[in-house]
Amino acid sequence: MNEENLAKKVERLEYYISLLRDICLDPEAYVLWDFIMAEGLDEDQAHQMILVFRKYSKILQDVNEKEDLAHYWSKMTKDLTPLFETFNWRTDQHGIYRVLLRASKLPEWYTLKKLVQYVENTK
């Protein structure tokens, strides 16, 4: 193993340690962090995914309950698909839904539950 690979592994482990601190405080809320570690995402990949979820969480704050969420679901799926391909995660709607479900448990992204309910109601 060369020094560059070793440095990346150490960096990833340090990142995972910081995620584990959150998981210890509230395992249910931080289940997305478990996904990040289980799938071996590095900090950059996780950050990109977090940016997408943060974006849609903010957008959904202004969306009323009666509005059709198909447009938002479609756009978010398109935003996440190329990212999910970089770490070989499923890019079908069910795969994206499974990660969305985890993300919606984070307290600051509670508005993502609107999309979770939309997907569950369209099954």
Side-chain angles (χ1 to χ4, degrees):
M1 179 179 303
N2 65 30
E3 287 185 36
E4 184 179 330
N5 286 341
L6 183 59
K8 286 181 181 180
K9 284 187 178 195
V10 169
E11 187 177 303
R12 187 175 296 169
L13 285 172
E14 289 172 346
Y15 176 60
Y16 290 175
I17 289 169
S18 70
L19 295 180
L20 284 169
R21 289 185 183 119
D22 288 336
I23 291 173
C24 289
L25 294 174
D26 192 353
E28 181 65 21
Y30 292 96
V31 71
L32 181 65
W33 291 182
D34 181 59
F35 169 80
I36 289 168
M37 290 184 286
E39 294 302 319
L41 275 63
D42 62 31
E43 191 169 1
D44 184 54
Q45 290 169 318
H47 181 71
Q48 289 177 39
M49 184 172 57
I50 287 167
L51 287 176
V52 172
F53 286 131
R54 186 177 294 149
K55 171 186 169 182
Y56 285 94
S57 180
K58 286 181 183 180
I59 289 170
L60 291 168
Q61 286 177 352
D62 298 326
V63 174
N64 71 43
E65 300 296 323
K66 295 179 182 175
E67 188 172 340
D68 183 18
L69 298 175
H71 171 72
Y72 301 107
W73 172 241
S74 175
K75 286 186 71 156
M76 189 181 73
T77 300
K78 287 179 185 172
D79 287 349
L80 288 173
T81 297
L83 175 61
F84 282 18
E85 288 171 348
T86 67
F87 52 88
N88 298 319
W89 180 251
R90 293 175 53 179
T91 58
D92 63 331
Q93 289 194 349
H94 183 71
I96 292 173
Y97 165 75
R98 289 177 50 202
V99 181
L100 170 65
L101 184 59
R102 290 175 174 96
S104 71
K105 295 181 182 200
L106 282 160
E108 61 268 23
W109 296 342
Y110 68 93
T111 58
L112 292 175
K113 291 181 194 266
K114 292 177 184 180
L115 279 181
V116 168
Q117 290 173 342
Y118 165 77
V119 174
E120 288 173 352
N121 291 335
T122 59
K123 285 184 179 178

